[in-house]
Amino acid sequence: MKIAILSCFYPYRGGISQFNACLYTELSRRHDVKAFNFSRQYPEFLFPGKTQYVTPDDEAVAVESESLLDTANPFTYGRTLRAIRAWGPDLLIVRYWMSYFAPSLGYVTRHMRKHCKVISILDNVIPHEPHFFDAPLTKWFLKGSDGCITLCDAVADDLLALRPDATYKVIQHPLYTHFGAKQDRNAASAALGLDPSKKTLLFFGLIREYKGLDILLEAFSKLPEDYQLMIAGEPYGSFDRYQKIIDASGCADRIHTDLRYIKDSEVSKYFSAADLAVLPYRSATQSGISSVSYHFEVPMVVTDVGGLKGTIGERGTGLVANEVKADAVLVQIRRFFADPALKQSCIENIRKEKTRLSWMNFCRKLENFVANL
């Protein structure tokens, strides 16, 4: 089968691009796959981080692609459509995670349905930080897809709320495997300036309002001296409000920060040093960070939002705070460290999930879904 994938690939960085590279690689084992890339993903003024692109010291997978679609320039929509149509795919796959992409991707998909099957992999239907225009734009976009893949039940529920007749399948987010092996905990701690004798919490990834770092900081301030916290990731916007919380916490000496985009080869040391990853999100669908935690066999404490309870709590790979509040997160952190058998149980369940959530299994389920459209 000839499969075209229209989304972001190298030189764009981040979780969506990483996912696409893994998807491309696995599908290429059995199919003729071509990547169609953005020539411009976002105008710079709309992008809150430091850069959209890989830097010279990044190790992102350099998938060969054709860069055509400028999301802010409608004149490129037709050019992208013509290029994909000329290649003649049997299937077009697009990724959708915010309504900004509805006009550009929707134009291509709505016209490509005349020529091949079209499926959308939906990271979000309604974004974490919603706007009044999200629902109408997403409804318009969805009309261009023959079927949709969601990565958790929560996104499927959002899909059905907008399009009750949608043809869809839930296939859980597969695990990233390109971050290398887990390191010795003591060596990783030393590299990060952490005390290996302390209980180590990790907050990892892009720092955005909905991810609830302030909730974790409030919870951490109530933990005793034998705990430490590592915050690693690039802030989207100012970090000042979080720094003020840290400075006023009375435990700033036990809170370590590395406020930048963490390149792939460095991810291992953060998770290798951690005893527990904490995802205190205010809203969520699925989480790419949980997939990284699985890879390094690090249990998690998560909040009961979106698909986190179903994909982590019900799988026994972590603990779920029943409220999006610091005290609820604190209860689960203390519970985790109070029972060594609980940690071992979480790790054993993570190992089972690592087999189930392979890229091969994800792509086989995707192929079966497409065959039945």
Side-chain angles (χ1 to χ4, degrees), residues 80-279:
T80 304
L81 170 65
R82 290 190 293 273
I84 297 173
R85 191 166 60 197
W87 189 65
D90 305 298
L91 171 67
L92 170 63
I93 300 173
V94 298
R95 296 289 300 283
Y96 185 82
W97 63 97
M98 61 185 298
S99 62
Y100 170 79
F101 294 100
S104 56
L105 294 179
Y107 178 91
V108 175
T109 58
R110 288 162 74 102
H111 286 83
M112 279 303 298
R113 283 189 72 187
K114 305 171 185 176
H115 305 279
C116 68
K117 293 180 180 179
V118 177
I119 65 167
S120 300
I121 299 177
L122 307 175
D123 295 84
N124 304 304
V125 172
I126 301 299
H128 301 296
E129 296 155 346
H131 307 87
F132 72 91
F133 49 76
D134 291 324
L137 283 174
T138 300
K139 283 182 180 179
W140 184 85
F141 166 79
L142 291 170
K143 291 179 180 178
S145 298
D146 295 298
C148 300
I149 300 293
T150 72
L151 304 178
C152 69
D153 290 329
V155 176
D157 292 341
D158 289 343
L159 169 63
L160 293 175
L162 286 186
R163 189 177 173 186
D165 63 340
T167 301
Y168 74 97
K169 184 175 182 63
V170 179
I171 312 177
Q172 194 172 333
H173 196 307
L175 304 186
Y176 294 123
T177 57
H178 61 288
F179 294 118
K182 192 166 186 175
Q183 302 176 24
D184 174 76
R185 184 179 186 277
N186 289 342
S189 298
L192 295 172
L194 298 173
D195 182 346
S197 69
K198 292 185 183 294
K199 303 177 180 73
T200 304
L201 309 180
L202 175 65
F203 180 97
F204 189 87
L206 298 176
I207 300 170
R208 302 178 66 175
E209 169 67 22
Y210 78 86
K211 292 193 174 184
L213 175 57
D214 55 319
I215 295 170
L216 174 56
L217 290 172
E218 182 183 344
F220 184 79
S221 69
K222 300 174 182 177
L223 290 168
E225 287 290 325
D226 58 341
Y227 284 81
Q228 61 188 346
L229 170 62
M230 168 56 74
I231 302 166
E234 180 183 351
Y236 268 26
S238 174
F239 191 75
D240 289 350
R241 64 180 292 247
Y242 302 111
Q243 189 60 54
K244 289 178 181 177
I245 297 171
I246 293 170
D247 293 341
S249 68
C251 53
D253 60 322
R254 294 186 286 116
I255 300 174
H256 305 260
T257 60
D258 193 349
L259 304 179
R260 61 188 175 91
Y261 182 86
I262 308 300
K263 61 183 181 179
D264 290 356
S265 65
E266 293 184 292
V267 171
S268 175
K269 63 185 176 184
Y270 295 90
F271 284 86
S272 299
D275 297 299
L276 182 69
V278 186
L279 287 64

Side-chain angles (χ1 to χ4, degrees), residues 324-352:
V324 186
K325 294 181 178 179
D327 286 345
V329 172
L330 179 63
V331 166
Q332 298 305 323
I333 292 172
R334 285 173 167 161
R335 177 185 168 203
F336 177 82
F337 286 102
D339 184 0
L342 184 56
K343 176 179 181 178
Q344 189 56 40
S345 174
C346 287
I347 292 173
E348 289 173 1
N349 287 326
I350 287 173
R351 288 170 180 165
K352 295 175 185 176

Side-chain angles (χ1 to χ4, degrees), residues 18-31:
Q18 290 169 342
F19 184 111
N20 291 336
C22 294
L23 179 67
Y24 175 94
T25 300
E26 184 59 37
L27 287 174
S28 295
R29 300 183 195 280
R30 295 176 299 282
H31 304 284

Side-chain angles (χ1 to χ4, degrees), residues 299-336:
M300 290 160 277
V301 163
V302 302
T303 44
D304 186 6
V305 295
L308 297 183
K309 181 176 181 178
T311 57
I312 295 169
E314 293 176 6
R315 294 285 177 177
T317 57
L319 303 177
V320 182
N322 59 10
E323 293 182 282
V324 186
K325 294 181 178 179
D327 286 345
V329 172
L330 179 63
V331 166
Q332 298 305 323
I333 292 172
R334 285 173 167 161
R335 177 185 168 203
F336 177 82

